[in-house]
Amino acid sequence: MDFPWEAGSATGVGSYPGTDSAEALRVVLGELPGLPHLPELPERGPGADMIGRTAGLLIDLAVRVEPSGWRFSDRPGRDTRRSHDHLVRDLDVLEELAGGHDGPFKIQVCGPWTLAAGIELRHGDRALKDPGAVRDLTASLAEGVARHVADVRRRLPHAEILLQIDEPGLPAALAGTVPTASGFSRLRAIEAPIAEEGLRQIIEASDAFPIVHCCAPNVPYGLLRGAGAKAISADLSLVPKRDDDAVGETIDAGVGLLLGVVPGTDVPLPRLQATAAPVRELWRRLGFPIARLGEQVVITPSCGLAGASPAYVRAALKRCRETARTLHEAPDA
């Protein structure tokens, strides 16, 4: 197996508290030197949130903020510009602080299905309701993400870029449980082959190591592998034993796992071995060689850290790093 990270690696999921992008990146570079990533700061407001940040990457599609949330608009306005400005500022900071980074580096974008569920059409329905709108959105996103990856690669010329596609809304889209804009009914389920093709478009356009993150129950492991994901990121506390076969097939296929094991909000952290125990238990239950654990698994927080305190963020990232190291160096402990 050939992964872009070193054995015993840890990383973050994406979001951080606060509004200072330079300080957030310094924390990431300090606590996660083996696999740092670009922090996202939704506390800055619209355009820094997951939906708005990625909507700012869309080509020839503009968005604006309405009381109900994000909605497509006829032309770019202040909300689209604000999304662009946040991202450009973050990338300028990235180039300044990490321009010489020569290892793997992860960036995150919202995937097409979660994005389509999070943006309304001009008349108010969710874009997910309209297959034509979803096709246009996916094509625009694929082009925008490709440009974004190229921009990051230009700013980090010695790094290997990992692209994390965030799809927390994909299981609901597949199950037909996404509410309509009014909330009184549910949108029709998206067929699995269509969902897979949409993700494939983004992955194939990006020219980066593709990871799909889904911090929700019922992660569609087979679909994500079929779309081209080379690693899958999930909250381990939401992975039930009934998913063992699907997880085992994913491991057997040589796909990496980014497993969230450290809570994303302030809690007293247990001892190190208690944090590592669920990962060891999963690996042993599935019967894979223990020596592969540290190579194939990356340790992360359970989800983003935007709701955590700055002190807890440092402690959580340190715990991720320590857990990854002990799982690699002492997998049988």
Side-chain angles (χ1 to χ4, degrees):
M1 292 177 292
D2 184 20
F3 298 110
W5 54 76
E6 295 291 331
S9 289
T11 192
V13 172
S15 66
Y16 278 74
T19 59
D20 188 335
S21 56
E23 176 60 22
L25 184 57
R26 289 189 188 99
V27 170
V28 169
L29 294 171
E31 298 294 342
L32 302 169
L35 183 47
H37 66 103
L38 186 64
E40 301 166 355
L41 305 175
E43 194 175 322
R44 292 180 295 186
D49 60 296
M50 179 179 67
I51 298 297
R53 186 178 179 87
T54 299
L57 298 175
L58 295 174
I59 304 301
D60 297 329
L61 290 176
V63 293
R64 68 176 187 270
V65 177
E66 295 286 339
S68 58
W70 288 98
R71 181 175 293 184
F72 286 116
S73 61
D74 294 329
R75 61 186 65 84
R78 65 176 183 177
D79 295 322
T80 299
R81 289 194 297 271
R82 184 160 45 192
S83 297
H84 291 158
D85 290 346
H86 283 315
L87 185 57
V88 168
R89 189 175 303 115
D90 290 350
L91 294 181
D92 287 344
V93 168
L94 174 65
E95 186 173 10
E96 177 184 351
L97 297 182
H101 181 73
D102 61 357
F105 190 91
K106 181 169 72 70
I107 59 176
Q108 304 82 222
V109 299
C110 185
W113 300 105
T114 300
L115 198 64
I119 302 179
E120 296 177 352
L121 301 170
R122 291 174 180 84
H123 59 269
D125 287 326
R126 295 184 191 273
L128 188 63
K129 182 179 181 180
D130 185 333
V134 172
R135 285 192 295 271
D136 291 344
L137 171 64
T138 302
S140 174
L141 179 62
E143 184 178 352
V145 169
R147 292 187 185 184
H148 178 46
V149 169
D151 190 11
V152 174
R153 188 169 281 124
R154 178 180 61 79
R155 294 169 184 266
L156 301 182
H158 308 294
E160 179 170 0
I161 306 303
L162 284 64
L163 175 69
Q164 176 180 300
I165 302 170
D166 292 325
E167 280 287 12
L170 178 57
L174 292 169
T177 59
V178 176
T180 59
S182 68
F184 293 120
S185 60
R186 298 291 181 267
L187 298 180
R188 63 175 179 82
I190 303 299
E191 295 180 4
I194 295 175
E196 182 178 311
E197 175 57 27
L199 273 172
R200 186 182 297 112
Q201 287 186 52
I202 309 304
I203 288 171
E204 291 182 349
S206 69
D207 188 30
F209 184 90
I211 302 165
V212 179
H213 171 69
C214 186
C215 54
N218 303 315
V219 176
Y221 297 94
L223 185 156
L224 301 183
R225 295 199 314 273
K230 294 183 179 179
I232 295 173
S233 172
D235 177 352
L236 186 53
S237 70
L238 299 178
V239 179
K241 288 185 178 180
R242 68 172 181 269
D243 283 356
D244 277 5
D245 287 347
V247 175
E249 290 169 1
T250 297
I251 296 170
D252 198 45
V255 173
L257 290 177
L258 280 67
L259 296 180
V261 298
V262 177
T265 54
D266 294 41
V267 296
L269 293 176
R271 60 187 179 85
L272 176 59
Q273 295 305 326
T275 304
V279 183
R280 287 194 178 103
E281 179 188 350
L282 173 69
W283 206 261
R284 287 170 178 154
R285 195 167 70 237
L286 296 176
F288 287 97
I290 198 69
R292 284 174 54 181
L293 173 55
E295 300 173 0
Q296 198 160 354
V297 172
V298 174
I299 299 301
T300 75
S302 58
C303 203
L305 294 167
S309 67
Y312 180 79
V313 166
R314 289 181 181 272
L317 296 184
K318 180 181 179 182
R319 174 55 60 87
C320 288
R321 188 179 73 249
E322 292 172 341
T323 302
R325 185 171 62 244
T326 194
L327 287 170
H328 173 54
E329 296 177 352
D332 287 318

